[in-house]
Amino acid sequence: MPAWQPSYSGWRDVPRLEEHQQRTRDFMSAFAQHENERVPIRFVCDEQVWTKVIGCTFRQFYHDAETHLRAQLEGWHWFRHHVMGDHAVGLPDRWDVGAQHWMEENAYLGCQIVYQEDDYAWGLPLDLPKNELLAHLRDLDPEKRVRSSPTFHLYRELCDLAADLTFCDRPVRIHPPGRGTHGILTKAAEVRGIDRLCLDLAEDPDFTQAYLDAVTDVEIARIQAWRRLAPQPEEEHLPNSVGFGFPDDSLQLVSAATARRFLLEPYRRLYAALTTGARSFHVCGRAMQHYAMLVEDLGVTTIDGPGDFCDHQTYLARYSDLGFHAQTDSGIHLHGSRADVVAMMRKLLTPGAKLPGRFWIDGFLTRHMPVKALDFCYQLGLELGTIRA
């Protein structure tokens, strides 16, 4: 049985981490029961940090399966032993990792992917006339596209590498990719080109609706193909009851009326095709104009992403079934003063937002951010996040 160990040394006091790990499990269990006495403060990271931990480039991470796996295992090990919060710390019972290809959707849709050494990959728009673009989307063969994709090959290689593998004496499991989308409007803008899509919205609404409908059809077919070709037990029947959420960060670009006209039905179809369970939605930026549609028309019960510019407590009071995963501003952590961080946390932790089981705060660790910045944020959360009876 192959066994891997971290290639670096030095982390926080392990016994303290084990105590914190158990407290976190109990705390988040209380949150699930709407019995937490403080707002959770949780942090996450991605390949920005993982590639830095093992000293590889983004290009190497995306193209070499062993580098991909080792970066995630060592990256998460480093994170769980250095970044304190109400997230999992210390050693897990099992390492759950996956094929992290953010451009999987764009490649599936036919876009050329640009790989960089020191930043995320990105996709070029398709330079096709409107009718040819619609025909291209409608002609995509879901299973053929998935089977031939770099992400599917990466996933299979990861499964082979992880077979019987242990890391720090813990087993490794590879989660299959392709379970979601980065958003109907977001992918439509990336494939069409955001400038052209904005003009389409104003000048050719019939094409725009046909195009967004086609993107929705493609996304549903793509996700279902991934579920068939790389299944998990809970996905035996479609749609499943596990719950489903997706982001659509480009939604902040359009008005509430535009979203209702062009996106309400695509969103409805996407949710209906993929889950009978709870619905969540992520959107960055100032997208509060869309919350009524998300909650009242789509049945979303968790909105992820809004920062301190959002009046969370007003929406929590208006919608009794709604919860928020609010987010801190990475720019403030990286470039702001301590006073700026305090002001941000006070805006987030208003009395009306601090509701048991309905509000937590996420933060994102970037590759250039010192860990002590998140330590300070977490301590503020402990001090300011108490929920009054």
Side-chain angles (χ1 to χ4, degrees):
M1 177 182 292
W4 288 1
Q5 295 294 328
S7 59
Y8 66 90
S9 60
W11 47 77
R12 299 191 188 216
D13 182 69
V14 172
R16 181 178 170 223
L17 283 176
E18 292 175 348
E19 294 175 7
H20 185 82
Q21 185 179 61
Q22 186 57 53
R23 286 197 303 271
T24 298
R25 287 172 178 167
D26 295 341
F27 177 54
M28 294 311 297
S29 177
F31 180 88
Q33 302 298 319
H34 289 226
E35 295 175 353
N36 54 302
E37 298 178 349
R38 175 179 59 79
V39 172
I41 311 292
R42 300 162 64 90
F43 302 110
V44 295
C45 69
D46 66 8
E47 60 260 46
Q48 280 196 47
V49 171
W50 307 334
T51 53
K52 184 178 180 180
V53 168
I54 72 164
C56 72
T57 67
F58 281 75
R59 180 186 293 272
Q60 291 169 327
F61 175 77
Y62 292 132
H63 283 90
D64 181 73
E66 184 169 337
T67 300
H68 199 89
L69 181 57
R70 186 174 288 280
Q72 288 189 66
L73 291 173
E74 296 204 27
W76 279 124
H77 185 281
W78 180 91
F79 182 87
R80 294 172 68 115
H81 286 82
H82 285 80
V83 181
M84 297 294 284
D86 298 317
H87 51 265
V89 299
L91 292 177
D93 297 329
R94 178 184 65 212
W95 298 99
D96 289 311
V97 298
Q100 301 293 321
H101 258 215
W102 299 122
M103 288 294 104
E104 181 265 330
E105 286 177 88
N106 298 62
Y108 179 100
L109 292 162
C111 298
Q112 178 185 342
I113 307 304
V114 178
Y115 291 99
Q116 305 179 90
E117 295 294 337
D118 297 314
D119 206 346
Y120 299 107
W122 52 283
L124 295 172
L126 293 177
D127 188 17
L128 293 174
K130 294 176 182 178
N131 289 339
E132 290 184 26
L133 178 58
L134 293 177
H136 165 75
L137 295 175
R138 290 165 181 160
D139 288 343
L140 293 175
D141 182 314
E143 293 202 5
K144 183 178 179 180
R145 298 293 293 183
V146 169
R147 286 185 185 277
S148 63
S149 70
T151 308
F152 188 75
H153 293 299
L154 174 65
Y155 166 66
R156 297 294 294 272
E157 288 185 83
L158 291 173
C159 288
D160 290 341
L161 285 169
D164 300 321
L165 175 69
T166 64
F167 180 68
C168 296
D169 301 319
R170 301 294 197 274
V172 178
R173 183 175 72 170
I174 306 299
H175 277 284
R179 265 51 193 172
T181 172
H182 283 89
I184 302 300
L185 188 62
T186 299
K187 288 304 158 185
E190 291 177 2
V191 171
R192 175 76 172 143
I194 192 168
D195 51 347
R196 288 188 292 182
L197 183 60
C198 287
L199 290 173
D200 294 336
L201 284 164
E203 299 175 355
D204 196 344
D206 291 340
F207 164 76
T208 301
Q209 191 65 73
Y211 175 50
L212 293 172
D213 288 342
V215 171
T216 305
D217 292 337
V218 167
E219 291 292 356
I220 292 171
R222 181 187 60 81
I223 295 168
Q224 291 178 337
W226 270 107
R227 288 181 175 182
R228 289 192 299 270
L229 295 171
Q232 290 183 313
E234 64 269 20
E235 298 170 345
E236 181 178 355
H237 303 289
L238 298 173
N240 66 61
S241 61
V242 175
F244 180 74
F246 64 95
D248 208 349
D249 285 337
S250 293
L251 189 61
Q252 64 183 298
L253 300 176
V254 300
S255 68
T258 297
R260 284 185 180 276
R261 177 177 179 181
F262 292 103
L263 291 163
L264 178 56
E265 288 307 315
Y267 286 169
R268 277 179 173 156
R269 289 198 294 116
L270 186 65
Y271 278 122
L274 299 174
T275 188
T276 59
R279 300 176 175 190
S280 60
F281 193 92
H282 168 91
V283 61
C284 287
R286 298 176 182 272
M288 289 80 77
Q289 69 270 30
H290 303 299
Y291 290 177
M293 179 185 76
L294 295 174
V295 177
E296 297 172 13
D297 298 294
L298 294 167
V300 168
T301 56
T302 302
I303 295 177
D304 178 87
D308 63 356
F309 49 78
C310 176
D311 184 6
H312 301 95
Q313 61 184 0
T314 294
Y315 296 100
L316 290 168
R318 183 179 302 167
Y319 302 116
S320 60
D321 293 330
L322 178 63
F324 277 109
H325 298 171
Q327 286 193 359
T328 63
D329 187 329
S330 296
I332 291 177
H333 289 308
L334 188 59
H335 302 295
S337 66
R338 287 205 159 199
D340 293 331
V341 178
V342 171
M344 173 181 66
M345 294 300 287
R346 289 190 182 280
K347 289 179 183 177
L348 288 167
L349 292 166
T350 56
K354 295 188 292 184
L355 299 177
R358 296 180 61 194
F359 187 78
W360 83 33
I361 296 175
D362 285 323
F364 182 73
L365 178 67
T366 65
R367 63 165 38 199
H368 300 299
M369 187 186 299
V371 171
K372 63 182 180 181
L374 297 188
D375 284 344
F376 181 59
C377 177
Y378 185 52
Q379 289 302 315
L380 286 174
L382 297 179
E383 297 169 12
L384 303 174
T386 302
I387 296 172
R388 305 298 180 187

